[in-house]
Amino acid sequence: MNTKSVAKMLLPALSVIVLALMSAGSSNDHPDANPQTGPVKLVYNYPAGDYVKYLHTNKIIQTMDIEGQSMDVIVNGIMGCSVRGVAASGENLTLEIRIDTLGQVINSPQGYSGGTVQSVKGRSFSMSITQCGKEPDLQEAQNLVYFIEGSGETNASQLFNDFFPYLPVNPIRPGETWNSSDTSDLTTPSISIKTITSSVNKFEGIEKVNGIECAKITSELSGQQTMITESQGMSVSVSGTFTGTATLLFAIKEGYFVEQNTSAKMKGMIDVSGQMTFPLAMETNTSTKMVK
C-alpha cells in the first residue's frame, strides 16, 4: 500500500482523534501587592443567575512517518459555551451548559475540511460536577448528538469530559506543591480514549484578572494515552506517552475558573488492525478563557 493510499485511509480516523482532544479573554494583572499567606480552599460554586461564558481554542499538529515520508495534519478548533449553576445536592453542583459556537478546520495532505457546526448553536444540557471539578454524570451531554464534517457523528461529552479543571481536595498555601494522578475514560460512537495523567502542582499565589482575585496553579504533566477508532472498516489505535505544562487561574470567592492554558507533546505509534504501524508525534495547545 503506497503512502497516498495509507494517508487517505487514516485521515478520517485522525480527524476523529483530534476532535476528541478538544476537551477545556481575560488579561492577567500583576500579582497582588499584599499576597495571601494563609490557606485557601478552592471549590466550584457557579452562580445560579448570569451565565459565565468561555471561549475554548485548540491547535493540534500531528506528524506521521509513513514509509520514510512525513505527513502533517493540523487542526484548529474553537468552542464557545455559557455555564451557570442550577442546583446543589450534597457534594455535587448541577450546571446548565449552553453551546454558543463550535467549529474546527483540518489542514491535511488531502486539503482543507471542516467549518462551523450550526446544528449545536444555542442548544443546552445539564451536567453535574463535584466541588473539585469531577464530572460524575455526562448522560445529557451524551444525548446531544451532532455531526462534524470530516470527523463524523459525535456528542457533547467529547467536549466536556475534563472541561472543568480539577481542584485540590485540601486547602493550599502559596508556594505549596503537591502531586496528583487521574485516570479518564471517554467513549463516544466514534472513539474511545483512556488517559492516565500524573502531575506535580504548585500554588504560585494570588493574581488579579480584571479585578477578580484568582489562585494561580501551575502543573507539570506526564502520562499515557490510548485512542481507538475505526476508518474504512479497519481498527485504528493510537498509543503513546506525553509531557506538558498547565496554568490555571481560579476565582476564589466566585467559585469558577477564569482561565486555563495547557501545552503537551505526545510520541507514540499508530496501529492499523495489527497489520501496519507508523510513528506519530502530536503537539497540542489549548486555551480556555472567560469572556464577556
Side-chain angles (χ1 to χ4, degrees), residues 50-117:
D50 296 334
Y51 283 107
V52 178
K53 297 185 177 184
Y54 293 104
L55 184 65
H56 175 91
T57 58
N58 184 302
K59 182 175 183 179
I60 300 173
I61 302 174
Q62 290 183 329
T63 301
M64 285 191 303
D65 187 336
I66 303 176
E67 298 179 348
Q69 182 172 336
S70 180
M71 184 184 78
D72 290 340
V73 178
I74 303 173
V75 179
N76 288 282
I78 187 170
M79 191 270 290
C81 67
S82 300
V83 181
R84 67 179 176 185
V86 176
S89 176
E91 291 294 317
N92 293 345
L93 176 66
T94 301
L95 304 175
E96 178 188 344
I97 311 290
R98 185 186 69 204
I99 299 178
D100 300 320
T101 186
L102 177 65
Q104 73 168 18
V105 175
I106 302 173
N107 180 11
S108 73
Q110 303 299 313
Y112 286 88
S113 64
T116 303
V117 184

Side-chain angles (χ1 to χ4, degrees), residues 32-178:
D32 199 325
N34 297 301
Q36 181 163 340
T37 58
V40 174
K41 175 63 174 174
L42 304 179
V43 296
Y44 280 99
N45 186 28
Y46 278 90
D50 296 334
Y51 283 107
V52 178
K53 297 185 177 184
Y54 293 104
L55 184 65
H56 175 91
T57 58
N58 184 302
K59 182 175 183 179
I60 300 173
I61 302 174
Q62 290 183 329
T63 301
M64 285 191 303
D65 187 336
I66 303 176
E67 298 179 348
Q69 182 172 336
S70 180
M71 184 184 78
D72 290 340
V73 178
I74 303 173
V75 179
N76 288 282
I78 187 170
M79 191 270 290
C81 67
S82 300
V83 181
R84 67 179 176 185
V86 176
S89 176
E91 291 294 317
N92 293 345
L93 176 66
T94 301
L95 304 175
E96 178 188 344
I97 311 290
R98 185 186 69 204
I99 299 178
D100 300 320
T101 186
L102 177 65
Q104 73 168 18
V105 175
I106 302 173
N107 180 11
S108 73
Q110 303 299 313
Y112 286 88
S113 64
T116 303
V117 184
Q118 295 288 355
S119 62
V120 298
K121 185 175 181 179
R123 297 178 66 181
S124 300
F125 62 92
S126 296
M127 66 177 287
S128 297
I129 61 172
T130 67
Q131 292 182 347
C132 294
K134 300 279 187 176
E135 300 98 351
D137 182 10
L138 285 169
Q139 184 59 52
E140 286 200 28
Q142 292 171 354
N143 294 337
L144 202 165
V145 178
Y146 56 92
F147 183 89
I148 286 192
E149 180 186 347
S151 299
E153 183 179 285
T154 186
N155 60 62
S157 69
Q158 202 159 299
L159 298 171
F160 289 91
N161 182 63
D162 295 336
F163 176 81
F164 297 94
Y166 296 161
L167 304 176
V169 175
N170 299 316
I172 51 176
R173 294 176 179 271
E176 183 176 349
T177 61
W178 68 97

